[in-house]
Short mmCIF file of all heavy atoms in Angstrom, two decimals:
data_model
loop_
_atom_site.label_atom_id
_atom_site.label_comp_id
_atom_site.label_asym_id
_atom_site.label_seq_id
_atom_site.Cartn_x
_atom_site.Cartn_y
_atom_site.Cartn_z
N MET A 118 -18.24 -12.47 5.21
CA MET A 118 -17.42 -11.74 4.27
C MET A 118 -16.65 -10.68 5.04
O MET A 118 -17.19 -9.96 5.85
CB MET A 118 -18.32 -11.09 3.22
CG MET A 118 -17.53 -10.27 2.22
SD MET A 118 -18.58 -9.37 1.07
CE MET A 118 -18.92 -10.64 -0.10
N SER A 119 -15.36 -10.56 4.79
CA SER A 119 -14.56 -9.59 5.51
C SER A 119 -14.61 -8.25 4.80
O SER A 119 -14.81 -8.15 3.60
CB SER A 119 -13.11 -10.06 5.63
OG SER A 119 -12.52 -10.13 4.36
N SER A 120 -14.42 -7.19 5.56
CA SER A 120 -14.45 -5.85 5.02
C SER A 120 -13.03 -5.31 4.97
O SER A 120 -12.18 -5.71 5.76
CB SER A 120 -15.31 -4.97 5.92
OG SER A 120 -15.30 -3.65 5.47
N SER A 121 -12.78 -4.41 4.05
CA SER A 121 -11.46 -3.82 3.95
C SER A 121 -11.60 -2.35 3.68
O SER A 121 -12.66 -1.85 3.34
CB SER A 121 -10.67 -4.48 2.83
OG SER A 121 -11.18 -4.08 1.58
N CYS A 122 -10.50 -1.64 3.77
CA CYS A 122 -10.53 -0.22 3.48
C CYS A 122 -10.87 0.01 2.02
O CYS A 122 -11.37 1.06 1.66
CB CYS A 122 -9.18 0.41 3.81
SG CYS A 122 -7.87 -0.10 2.70
N CYS A 123 -10.60 -0.93 1.18
CA CYS A 123 -10.81 -0.78 -0.26
C CYS A 123 -12.11 -1.41 -0.72
O CYS A 123 -12.37 -1.49 -1.91
CB CYS A 123 -9.63 -1.40 -1.02
SG CYS A 123 -8.07 -0.66 -0.57
N GLY A 124 -12.93 -1.87 0.18
CA GLY A 124 -14.13 -2.60 -0.17
C GLY A 124 -15.17 -1.81 -0.93
O GLY A 124 -16.01 -2.36 -1.60
N GLY A 125 -15.11 -0.48 -0.87
CA GLY A 125 -16.11 0.32 -1.54
C GLY A 125 -15.79 0.64 -2.99
O GLY A 125 -16.58 1.27 -3.67
N HIS A 126 -14.67 0.20 -3.49
CA HIS A 126 -14.29 0.49 -4.87
C HIS A 126 -15.02 -0.43 -5.84
O HIS A 126 -15.34 -1.55 -5.52
CB HIS A 126 -12.79 0.29 -5.09
CG HIS A 126 -11.95 1.23 -4.31
ND1 HIS A 126 -11.92 2.57 -4.53
CD2 HIS A 126 -11.09 1.00 -3.28
CE1 HIS A 126 -11.09 3.14 -3.69
NE2 HIS A 126 -10.58 2.22 -2.92
N ASP A 127 -15.22 0.08 -7.05
CA ASP A 127 -15.75 -0.80 -8.08
C ASP A 127 -14.61 -1.64 -8.63
O ASP A 127 -13.45 -1.42 -8.32
CB ASP A 127 -16.45 -0.01 -9.19
CG ASP A 127 -15.53 0.95 -9.92
OD1 ASP A 127 -14.30 0.75 -9.90
OD2 ASP A 127 -16.04 1.91 -10.51
N LYS A 128 -14.95 -2.63 -9.43
CA LYS A 128 -13.93 -3.55 -9.93
C LYS A 128 -12.84 -2.85 -10.71
O LYS A 128 -11.70 -3.27 -10.69
CB LYS A 128 -14.57 -4.65 -10.77
CG LYS A 128 -15.34 -5.63 -9.95
CD LYS A 128 -15.80 -6.79 -10.79
CE LYS A 128 -16.50 -7.80 -9.90
NZ LYS A 128 -16.60 -9.08 -10.51
N ALA A 129 -13.16 -1.79 -11.41
CA ALA A 129 -12.15 -1.08 -12.21
C ALA A 129 -11.08 -0.47 -11.32
O ALA A 129 -9.94 -0.30 -11.73
CB ALA A 129 -12.80 -0.01 -13.07
N ALA A 130 -11.42 -0.12 -10.07
CA ALA A 130 -10.46 0.52 -9.18
C ALA A 130 -9.80 -0.46 -8.23
O ALA A 130 -8.95 -0.09 -7.45
CB ALA A 130 -11.17 1.61 -8.39
N THR A 131 -10.20 -1.71 -8.26
CA THR A 131 -9.64 -2.70 -7.35
C THR A 131 -8.20 -2.98 -7.71
O THR A 131 -7.88 -3.21 -8.88
CB THR A 131 -10.45 -4.01 -7.42
OG1 THR A 131 -11.79 -3.73 -7.09
CG2 THR A 131 -9.89 -5.05 -6.47
N PRO A 132 -7.28 -2.94 -6.71
CA PRO A 132 -5.88 -3.23 -7.01
C PRO A 132 -5.74 -4.63 -7.61
O PRO A 132 -6.38 -5.58 -7.15
CB PRO A 132 -5.20 -3.17 -5.65
CG PRO A 132 -6.13 -2.41 -4.78
CD PRO A 132 -7.50 -2.65 -5.32
N GLN A 133 -4.96 -4.74 -8.64
CA GLN A 133 -4.76 -6.02 -9.31
C GLN A 133 -3.43 -6.62 -8.87
O GLN A 133 -2.47 -5.90 -8.65
CB GLN A 133 -4.75 -5.82 -10.83
CG GLN A 133 -6.07 -5.28 -11.35
CD GLN A 133 -7.22 -6.22 -11.07
OE1 GLN A 133 -7.14 -7.41 -11.33
NE2 GLN A 133 -8.30 -5.69 -10.54
N PRO A 134 -3.36 -7.95 -8.74
CA PRO A 134 -2.12 -8.59 -8.36
C PRO A 134 -1.03 -8.30 -9.38
O PRO A 134 -1.30 -8.15 -10.56
CB PRO A 134 -2.46 -10.09 -8.36
CG PRO A 134 -3.93 -10.16 -8.34
CD PRO A 134 -4.44 -8.89 -8.95
N VAL A 135 0.18 -8.21 -8.90
CA VAL A 135 1.33 -7.96 -9.76
C VAL A 135 2.21 -9.19 -9.71
O VAL A 135 2.48 -9.74 -8.65
CB VAL A 135 2.13 -6.74 -9.24
CG1 VAL A 135 3.40 -6.54 -10.04
CG2 VAL A 135 1.26 -5.50 -9.27
N GLN A 136 2.64 -9.65 -10.86
CA GLN A 136 3.57 -10.77 -10.92
C GLN A 136 4.95 -10.28 -10.49
O GLN A 136 5.49 -9.35 -11.07
CB GLN A 136 3.65 -11.34 -12.34
CG GLN A 136 2.40 -12.04 -12.77
CD GLN A 136 2.13 -13.31 -11.99
OE1 GLN A 136 3.02 -13.90 -11.39
NE2 GLN A 136 0.90 -13.74 -11.97
N VAL A 137 5.48 -10.86 -9.44
CA VAL A 137 6.77 -10.45 -8.93
C VAL A 137 7.81 -11.48 -9.33
O VAL A 137 7.74 -12.64 -8.96
CB VAL A 137 6.74 -10.30 -7.39
CG1 VAL A 137 8.10 -9.87 -6.88
CG2 VAL A 137 5.67 -9.30 -6.98
N GLY A 138 8.75 -11.04 -10.11
CA GLY A 138 9.87 -11.88 -10.51
C GLY A 138 11.15 -11.20 -10.12
O GLY A 138 11.16 -10.14 -9.51
N GLN A 139 12.25 -11.80 -10.45
CA GLN A 139 13.54 -11.22 -10.10
C GLN A 139 13.73 -9.86 -10.75
O GLN A 139 14.39 -8.99 -10.20
CB GLN A 139 14.66 -12.16 -10.50
CG GLN A 139 14.72 -13.40 -9.64
CD GLN A 139 15.85 -14.32 -10.05
OE1 GLN A 139 16.39 -14.21 -11.14
NE2 GLN A 139 16.21 -15.21 -9.16
N ASP A 140 13.17 -9.65 -11.93
CA ASP A 140 13.37 -8.40 -12.65
C ASP A 140 12.67 -7.21 -12.01
O ASP A 140 13.12 -6.09 -12.13
CB ASP A 140 12.89 -8.54 -14.10
CG ASP A 140 13.73 -9.51 -14.89
OD1 ASP A 140 14.88 -9.80 -14.48
OD2 ASP A 140 13.25 -10.00 -15.92
N ASN A 141 11.54 -7.44 -11.34
CA ASN A 141 10.79 -6.31 -10.81
C ASN A 141 10.51 -6.38 -9.31
O ASN A 141 9.69 -5.63 -8.81
CB ASN A 141 9.48 -6.13 -11.59
CG ASN A 141 8.51 -7.27 -11.40
OD1 ASN A 141 8.85 -8.30 -10.84
ND2 ASN A 141 7.30 -7.08 -11.85
N ALA A 142 11.20 -7.23 -8.58
CA ALA A 142 10.94 -7.40 -7.15
C ALA A 142 11.15 -6.11 -6.37
O ALA A 142 10.45 -5.86 -5.40
CB ALA A 142 11.81 -8.51 -6.58
N ASP A 143 12.08 -5.26 -6.79
CA ASP A 143 12.32 -4.01 -6.09
C ASP A 143 11.34 -2.92 -6.48
O ASP A 143 11.31 -1.86 -5.88
CB ASP A 143 13.75 -3.52 -6.37
CG ASP A 143 14.80 -4.42 -5.73
OD1 ASP A 143 14.48 -5.10 -4.74
OD2 ASP A 143 15.93 -4.43 -6.24
N ASP A 144 10.52 -3.17 -7.48
CA ASP A 144 9.57 -2.18 -7.98
C ASP A 144 8.20 -2.31 -7.35
O ASP A 144 7.33 -1.48 -7.63
CB ASP A 144 9.42 -2.31 -9.50
CG ASP A 144 10.72 -2.05 -10.24
OD1 ASP A 144 11.59 -1.32 -9.70
OD2 ASP A 144 10.88 -2.59 -11.34
N VAL A 145 7.97 -3.33 -6.55
CA VAL A 145 6.66 -3.55 -5.95
C VAL A 145 6.79 -3.64 -4.43
O VAL A 145 7.85 -3.91 -3.88
CB VAL A 145 5.98 -4.83 -6.48
CG1 VAL A 145 5.70 -4.72 -7.97
CG2 VAL A 145 6.81 -6.05 -6.20
N ALA A 146 5.67 -3.37 -3.77
CA ALA A 146 5.61 -3.44 -2.31
C ALA A 146 4.23 -3.96 -1.93
O ALA A 146 3.33 -4.04 -2.76
CB ALA A 146 5.84 -2.06 -1.70
N THR A 147 4.07 -4.28 -0.66
CA THR A 147 2.78 -4.67 -0.13
C THR A 147 2.25 -3.52 0.70
O THR A 147 2.97 -2.94 1.51
CB THR A 147 2.91 -5.93 0.76
OG1 THR A 147 3.43 -6.99 -0.03
CG2 THR A 147 1.58 -6.33 1.35
N CYS A 148 1.00 -3.18 0.50
CA CYS A 148 0.37 -2.10 1.26
C CYS A 148 0.37 -2.47 2.74
O CYS A 148 -0.07 -3.57 3.10
CB CYS A 148 -1.05 -1.88 0.76
SG CYS A 148 -1.96 -0.61 1.67
N PRO A 149 0.85 -1.58 3.62
CA PRO A 149 0.88 -1.91 5.05
C PRO A 149 -0.51 -1.90 5.69
O PRO A 149 -0.70 -2.51 6.74
CB PRO A 149 1.76 -0.80 5.65
CG PRO A 149 1.59 0.34 4.71
CD PRO A 149 1.42 -0.28 3.34
N VAL A 150 -1.46 -1.24 5.07
CA VAL A 150 -2.82 -1.17 5.62
C VAL A 150 -3.65 -2.34 5.14
O VAL A 150 -4.30 -3.03 5.92
CB VAL A 150 -3.49 0.17 5.24
CG1 VAL A 150 -4.92 0.24 5.75
CG2 VAL A 150 -2.67 1.34 5.76
N MET A 151 -3.63 -2.58 3.85
CA MET A 151 -4.41 -3.64 3.23
C MET A 151 -3.46 -4.77 2.87
O MET A 151 -3.03 -4.93 1.73
CB MET A 151 -5.10 -3.08 1.98
CG MET A 151 -5.95 -4.04 1.24
SD MET A 151 -7.42 -4.39 2.14
CE MET A 151 -8.24 -5.37 0.91
N ARG A 152 -3.08 -5.55 3.86
CA ARG A 152 -2.12 -6.64 3.68
C ARG A 152 -2.57 -7.55 2.54
O ARG A 152 -3.74 -7.86 2.41
CB ARG A 152 -1.99 -7.47 4.95
CG ARG A 152 -1.46 -6.69 6.11
CD ARG A 152 0.02 -6.81 6.15
NE ARG A 152 0.53 -5.96 7.22
CZ ARG A 152 1.66 -5.32 7.12
NH1 ARG A 152 2.39 -5.43 6.06
NH2 ARG A 152 2.07 -4.56 8.11
N GLY A 153 -1.62 -7.92 1.71
CA GLY A 153 -1.92 -8.79 0.57
C GLY A 153 -2.13 -8.02 -0.72
O GLY A 153 -2.12 -8.59 -1.79
N SER A 154 -2.32 -6.70 -0.61
CA SER A 154 -2.46 -5.88 -1.81
C SER A 154 -1.08 -5.47 -2.28
O SER A 154 -0.35 -4.79 -1.58
CB SER A 154 -3.29 -4.62 -1.53
OG SER A 154 -4.62 -4.96 -1.29
N THR A 155 -0.75 -5.88 -3.50
CA THR A 155 0.54 -5.56 -4.08
C THR A 155 0.45 -4.21 -4.76
O THR A 155 -0.54 -3.90 -5.42
CB THR A 155 0.94 -6.65 -5.10
OG1 THR A 155 0.89 -7.92 -4.44
CG2 THR A 155 2.34 -6.43 -5.61
N VAL A 156 1.49 -3.42 -4.59
CA VAL A 156 1.52 -2.05 -5.08
C VAL A 156 2.74 -1.87 -5.97
O VAL A 156 3.85 -2.25 -5.59
CB VAL A 156 1.61 -1.06 -3.90
CG1 VAL A 156 1.65 0.36 -4.39
CG2 VAL A 156 0.48 -1.28 -2.91
N VAL A 157 2.55 -1.30 -7.15
CA VAL A 157 3.68 -0.91 -7.99
C VAL A 157 4.14 0.45 -7.46
O VAL A 157 3.38 1.43 -7.47
CB VAL A 157 3.27 -0.82 -9.48
CG1 VAL A 157 4.44 -0.32 -10.33
CG2 VAL A 157 2.78 -2.17 -9.97
N LYS A 158 5.36 0.50 -6.96
CA LYS A 158 5.85 1.70 -6.28
C LYS A 158 5.75 2.95 -7.15
O LYS A 158 5.29 4.00 -6.68
CB LYS A 158 7.29 1.49 -5.83
CG LYS A 158 7.45 0.45 -4.75
CD LYS A 158 8.90 0.25 -4.41
CE LYS A 158 9.12 -0.83 -3.38
NZ LYS A 158 10.55 -1.01 -3.06
N ALA A 159 6.15 2.87 -8.40
CA ALA A 159 6.12 4.05 -9.28
C ALA A 159 4.69 4.56 -9.48
O ALA A 159 4.45 5.78 -9.48
CB ALA A 159 6.76 3.73 -10.62
N ASP A 160 3.74 3.65 -9.62
CA ASP A 160 2.34 4.04 -9.78
C ASP A 160 1.82 4.71 -8.51
O ASP A 160 1.11 5.72 -8.57
CB ASP A 160 1.47 2.83 -10.13
CG ASP A 160 1.77 2.25 -11.51
OD1 ASP A 160 2.47 2.91 -12.31
OD2 ASP A 160 1.30 1.13 -11.76
N ALA A 161 2.15 4.13 -7.36
CA ALA A 161 1.71 4.70 -6.08
C ALA A 161 2.30 6.09 -5.88
O ALA A 161 1.60 7.01 -5.44
CB ALA A 161 2.09 3.77 -4.94
N GLU A 162 3.57 6.25 -6.20
CA GLU A 162 4.19 7.56 -6.03
C GLU A 162 3.57 8.59 -6.96
O GLU A 162 3.33 9.73 -6.57
CB GLU A 162 5.71 7.45 -6.22
CG GLU A 162 6.34 6.72 -5.05
CD GLU A 162 7.84 6.83 -5.00
OE1 GLU A 162 8.41 7.74 -5.64
OE2 GLU A 162 8.44 6.03 -4.29
N ALA A 163 3.30 8.21 -8.19
CA ALA A 163 2.69 9.13 -9.15
C ALA A 163 1.31 9.59 -8.68
O ALA A 163 0.89 10.71 -8.94
CB ALA A 163 2.59 8.47 -10.53
N ALA A 164 0.61 8.70 -7.95
CA ALA A 164 -0.73 9.01 -7.45
C ALA A 164 -0.71 9.61 -6.04
O ALA A 164 -1.77 9.91 -5.48
CB ALA A 164 -1.59 7.74 -7.47
N GLY A 165 0.48 9.76 -5.45
CA GLY A 165 0.58 10.29 -4.09
C GLY A 165 0.18 9.29 -3.03
O GLY A 165 -0.15 9.67 -1.91
N LEU A 166 0.22 8.00 -3.37
CA LEU A 166 -0.20 6.95 -2.44
C LEU A 166 1.00 6.36 -1.72
O LEU A 166 1.34 5.18 -1.87
CB LEU A 166 -0.96 5.86 -3.19
CG LEU A 166 -2.26 6.31 -3.84
CD1 LEU A 166 -2.86 5.19 -4.68
CD2 LEU A 166 -3.25 6.80 -2.80
N TYR A 167 1.64 7.17 -0.91
CA TYR A 167 2.78 6.71 -0.11
C TYR A 167 2.88 7.59 1.13
O TYR A 167 2.34 8.69 1.17
CB TYR A 167 4.08 6.75 -0.91
CG TYR A 167 4.50 8.13 -1.32
CD1 TYR A 167 5.31 8.90 -0.50
CD2 TYR A 167 4.05 8.69 -2.50
CE1 TYR A 167 5.67 10.19 -0.86
CE2 TYR A 167 4.40 9.97 -2.87
CZ TYR A 167 5.22 10.72 -2.04
OH TYR A 167 5.58 11.99 -2.39
N ARG A 168 3.55 7.08 2.12
CA ARG A 168 3.82 7.83 3.33
C ARG A 168 5.24 7.53 3.75
O ARG A 168 5.72 6.40 3.62
CB ARG A 168 2.88 7.44 4.48
CG ARG A 168 1.41 7.74 4.22
CD ARG A 168 1.17 9.23 4.10
NE ARG A 168 -0.23 9.57 4.03
CZ ARG A 168 -0.95 9.65 2.92
NH1 ARG A 168 -0.41 9.35 1.75
NH2 ARG A 168 -2.22 9.99 2.97
N ASP A 169 5.93 8.53 4.29
CA ASP A 169 7.24 8.34 4.90
C ASP A 169 7.06 8.41 6.40
O ASP A 169 6.42 9.33 6.92
CB ASP A 169 8.21 9.43 4.42
CG ASP A 169 8.51 9.32 2.94
OD1 ASP A 169 8.72 8.19 2.47
OD2 ASP A 169 8.54 10.36 2.26
N HIS A 170 7.61 7.42 7.09
CA HIS A 170 7.47 7.35 8.54
C HIS A 170 8.77 6.83 9.13
O HIS A 170 9.25 5.75 8.76
CB HIS A 170 6.30 6.41 8.91
CG HIS A 170 6.09 6.28 10.38
ND1 HIS A 170 5.58 7.31 11.14
CD2 HIS A 170 6.34 5.25 11.23
CE1 HIS A 170 5.52 6.89 12.40
NE2 HIS A 170 5.98 5.66 12.47
N ASN A 171 9.36 7.61 10.02
CA ASN A 171 10.62 7.24 10.67
C ASN A 171 11.70 6.83 9.67
O ASN A 171 12.40 5.85 9.87
CB ASN A 171 10.41 6.14 11.71
CG ASN A 171 9.65 6.63 12.92
OD1 ASN A 171 9.63 7.83 13.22
ND2 ASN A 171 9.00 5.72 13.63
N GLY A 172 11.79 7.56 8.57
CA GLY A 172 12.84 7.32 7.60
C GLY A 172 12.58 6.18 6.62
O GLY A 172 13.46 5.82 5.84
N THR A 173 11.39 5.60 6.65
CA THR A 173 11.05 4.50 5.75
C THR A 173 9.83 4.90 4.93
O THR A 173 8.89 5.49 5.45
CB THR A 173 10.74 3.22 6.54
OG1 THR A 173 11.88 2.87 7.32
CG2 THR A 173 10.39 2.06 5.61
N ARG A 174 9.85 4.57 3.64
CA ARG A 174 8.72 4.87 2.77
C ARG A 174 7.80 3.65 2.71
O ARG A 174 8.25 2.52 2.58
CB ARG A 174 9.19 5.22 1.36
CG ARG A 174 8.02 5.49 0.41
CD ARG A 174 8.38 6.39 -0.71
NE ARG A 174 8.55 7.75 -0.18
CZ ARG A 174 8.81 8.81 -0.94
NH1 ARG A 174 8.95 8.66 -2.24
NH2 ARG A 174 8.94 10.00 -0.41
N TYR A 175 6.50 3.91 2.80
CA TYR A 175 5.46 2.88 2.72
C TYR A 175 4.54 3.26 1.57
O TYR A 175 4.08 4.39 1.47
CB TYR A 175 4.67 2.79 4.02
CG TYR A 175 5.54 2.41 5.19
CD1 TYR A 175 6.16 3.37 5.97
CD2 TYR A 175 5.77 1.07 5.48
CE1 TYR A 175 6.99 3.01 7.02
CE2 TYR A 175 6.60 0.71 6.53
CZ TYR A 175 7.20 1.68 7.30
OH TYR A 175 8.02 1.33 8.34
N TRP A 176 4.26 2.31 0.69
CA TRP A 176 3.40 2.54 -0.47
C TRP A 176 2.02 1.96 -0.18
O TRP A 176 1.89 0.88 0.39
CB TRP A 176 4.02 1.88 -1.70
CG TRP A 176 5.31 2.54 -2.08
CD1 TRP A 176 5.46 3.59 -2.94
CD2 TRP A 176 6.62 2.22 -1.61
NE1 TRP A 176 6.79 3.93 -3.03
CE2 TRP A 176 7.53 3.11 -2.22
CE3 TRP A 176 7.13 1.27 -0.73
CZ2 TRP A 176 8.89 3.09 -2.00
CZ3 TRP A 176 8.49 1.25 -0.48
CH2 TRP A 176 9.35 2.15 -1.12
N LEU A 177 0.99 2.70 -0.58
CA LEU A 177 -0.39 2.35 -0.27
C LEU A 177 -1.14 1.93 -1.53
O LEU A 177 -0.87 2.43 -2.63
CB LEU A 177 -1.09 3.55 0.37
CG LEU A 177 -0.34 4.16 1.57
CD1 LEU A 177 -0.98 5.46 1.97
CD2 LEU A 177 -0.28 3.18 2.72
N CYS A 178 -2.10 1.03 -1.38
CA CYS A 178 -2.81 0.50 -2.54
C CYS A 178 -3.94 1.38 -3.02
O CYS A 178 -4.37 1.28 -4.17
CB CYS A 178 -3.33 -0.91 -2.24
SG CYS A 178 -4.62 -0.99 -0.99
N CYS A 179 -4.47 2.27 -2.15
CA CYS A 179 -5.59 3.11 -2.56
C CYS A 179 -5.67 4.34 -1.67
O CYS A 179 -5.03 4.40 -0.61
CB CYS A 179 -6.91 2.34 -2.50
SG CYS A 179 -7.43 1.89 -0.83
N SER A 180 -6.46 5.31 -2.08
CA SER A 180 -6.57 6.56 -1.33
C SER A 180 -7.22 6.37 0.04
O SER A 180 -7.00 7.17 0.94
CB SER A 180 -7.34 7.60 -2.14
OG SER A 180 -8.63 7.15 -2.42
N SER A 181 -7.98 5.32 0.22
CA SER A 181 -8.61 5.06 1.52
C SER A 181 -7.59 4.66 2.57
O SER A 181 -7.82 4.85 3.77
CB SER A 181 -9.66 3.96 1.39
OG SER A 181 -10.69 4.37 0.54
N CYS A 182 -6.47 4.11 2.15
CA CYS A 182 -5.46 3.66 3.10
C CYS A 182 -4.66 4.81 3.71
O CYS A 182 -4.15 4.69 4.82
CB CYS A 182 -4.50 2.67 2.43
SG CYS A 182 -5.27 1.09 2.05
N GLY A 183 -4.56 5.94 3.00
CA GLY A 183 -3.79 7.08 3.50
C GLY A 183 -4.26 7.59 4.85
O GLY A 183 -3.46 7.66 5.80
N PRO A 184 -5.53 7.94 5.01
CA PRO A 184 -6.01 8.43 6.31
C PRO A 184 -5.89 7.39 7.43
O PRO A 184 -5.62 7.74 8.58
CB PRO A 184 -7.47 8.77 6.05
CG PRO A 184 -7.56 9.01 4.58
CD PRO A 184 -6.56 8.09 3.97
N LEU A 185 -6.07 6.13 7.10
CA LEU A 185 -5.92 5.08 8.12
C LEU A 185 -4.48 5.00 8.59
O LEU A 185 -4.20 4.92 9.79
CB LEU A 185 -6.37 3.73 7.56
CG LEU A 185 -7.85 3.62 7.22
CD1 LEU A 185 -8.13 2.33 6.45
CD2 LEU A 185 -8.69 3.68 8.48
N PHE A 186 -3.54 5.04 7.65
CA PHE A 186 -2.13 5.01 8.00
C PHE A 186 -1.76 6.25 8.81
O PHE A 186 -1.09 6.15 9.83
CB PHE A 186 -1.27 4.93 6.73
CG PHE A 186 0.20 4.77 7.01
CD1 PHE A 186 0.76 3.51 7.09
CD2 PHE A 186 1.02 5.87 7.19
CE1 PHE A 186 2.12 3.35 7.36
CE2 PHE A 186 2.37 5.73 7.45
CZ PHE A 186 2.92 4.46 7.54
N ASP A 187 -2.23 7.42 8.37
CA ASP A 187 -1.92 8.67 9.05
C ASP A 187 -2.40 8.69 10.50
O ASP A 187 -1.75 9.25 11.37
CB ASP A 187 -2.53 9.86 8.30
CG ASP A 187 -1.91 10.07 6.93
OD1 ASP A 187 -0.79 9.57 6.67
OD2 ASP A 187 -2.56 10.74 6.10
N ALA A 188 -3.56 8.10 10.74
CA ALA A 188 -4.16 8.11 12.07
C ALA A 188 -3.38 7.28 13.07
O ALA A 188 -3.34 7.61 14.26
CB ALA A 188 -5.60 7.63 12.00
N ASP A 189 -2.73 6.21 12.61
CA ASP A 189 -2.01 5.31 13.53
C ASP A 189 -0.91 4.56 12.78
O ASP A 189 -0.99 3.34 12.61
CB ASP A 189 -3.00 4.34 14.16
CG ASP A 189 -2.41 3.54 15.31
OD1 ASP A 189 -1.23 3.79 15.69
OD2 ASP A 189 -3.11 2.66 15.84
N PRO A 190 0.12 5.26 12.35
CA PRO A 190 1.16 4.59 11.54
C PRO A 190 1.84 3.44 12.27
O PRO A 190 2.17 2.43 11.65
CB PRO A 190 2.15 5.71 11.21
CG PRO A 190 1.84 6.85 12.10
CD PRO A 190 0.42 6.68 12.53
N GLU A 191 2.02 3.55 13.56
CA GLU A 191 2.70 2.47 14.30
C GLU A 191 1.94 1.17 14.22
O GLU A 191 2.53 0.09 14.24
CB GLU A 191 2.92 2.88 15.76
CG GLU A 191 3.97 3.95 15.93
CD GLU A 191 5.33 3.56 15.37
OE1 GLU A 191 5.76 2.40 15.50
OE2 GLU A 191 5.99 4.44 14.78
N ARG A 192 0.63 1.25 14.15
CA ARG A 192 -0.20 0.04 14.02
C ARG A 192 0.17 -0.74 12.75
O ARG A 192 0.22 -1.96 12.75
CB ARG A 192 -1.67 0.43 13.97
CG ARG A 192 -2.59 -0.70 13.66
CD ARG A 192 -4.01 -0.23 13.61
NE ARG A 192 -4.88 -1.36 13.27
CZ ARG A 192 -6.15 -1.24 12.98
NH1 ARG A 192 -6.73 -0.05 13.02
NH2 ARG A 192 -6.86 -2.29 12.68
N TYR A 193 0.43 0.00 11.69
CA TYR A 193 0.69 -0.64 10.40
C TYR A 193 2.16 -0.97 10.17
O TYR A 193 2.47 -1.99 9.56
CB TYR A 193 0.15 0.24 9.28
CG TYR A 193 -1.35 0.46 9.45
CD1 TYR A 193 -1.86 1.66 9.87
CD2 TYR A 193 -2.24 -0.60 9.23
CE1 TYR A 193 -3.23 1.84 10.05
CE2 TYR A 193 -3.60 -0.44 9.42
CZ TYR A 193 -4.08 0.78 9.83
OH TYR A 193 -5.43 0.94 10.03
N VAL A 194 3.06 -0.16 10.69
CA VAL A 194 4.48 -0.46 10.46
C VAL A 194 4.98 -1.53 11.41
O VAL A 194 5.91 -2.26 11.08
CB VAL A 194 5.38 0.80 10.54
CG1 VAL A 194 4.94 1.81 9.51
CG2 VAL A 194 5.40 1.41 11.91
N SER A 195 4.37 -1.65 12.57
CA SER A 195 4.81 -2.69 13.52
C SER A 195 4.40 -4.08 13.05
O SER A 195 5.02 -5.06 13.43
CB SER A 195 4.24 -2.42 14.91
OG SER A 195 2.83 -2.51 14.91
N ALA A 196 3.38 -4.15 12.20
CA ALA A 196 2.94 -5.45 11.69
C ALA A 196 3.71 -5.85 10.44
O ALA A 196 3.55 -6.94 9.94
CB ALA A 196 1.44 -5.39 11.37
N ALA A 197 4.53 -4.94 9.95
CA ALA A 197 5.29 -5.20 8.70
C ALA A 197 6.34 -6.27 8.89
O ALA A 197 6.82 -6.60 9.87
CB ALA A 197 5.93 -3.92 8.21
#
């Protein structure tokens, strides 16, 4: 079983997949730390789950991803 930064959350806090269609494609992003986790940008911003790095905004799926991103942002943005 693989471990993730979000592995300690209960099911209620687990990020849920977002259906991406043409109408909302610009409203969602993928977390750079937890690849595969879809993030609704407005929800992440309201919760403070984003980082700006070198002029680009990155949205995070959970509060655990913030410190990981902060510690080594190049690790996560270079894989984007």
Side-chain angles (χ1 to χ4, degrees):
M118 179 186 278
S119 65
S120 177
S121 72
C122 69
C123 302
H126 295 294
D127 61 22
K128 288 188 177 198
T131 301
Q133 298 299 311
V135 175
Q136 291 293 339
V137 180
Q139 289 180 342
D140 294 340
N141 66 350
D143 292 335
D144 298 334
V145 297
T147 300
C148 178
V150 177
M151 181 72 174
R152 297 268 175 216
S154 291
T155 305
V156 179
V157 177
K158 293 177 183 180
D160 293 347
E162 289 193 18
L166 297 174
Y167 64 90
R168 296 296 188 271
D169 293 318
H170 180 71
N171 290 337
T173 301
R174 178 154 288 183
Y175 298 91
W176 294 270
L177 308 170
C178 67
C179 68
S180 61
S181 297
C182 290
L185 295 170
F186 186 92
D187 294 341
D189 191 4
E191 289 302 321
R192 172 181 178 189
Y193 300 107
V194 301
S195 65

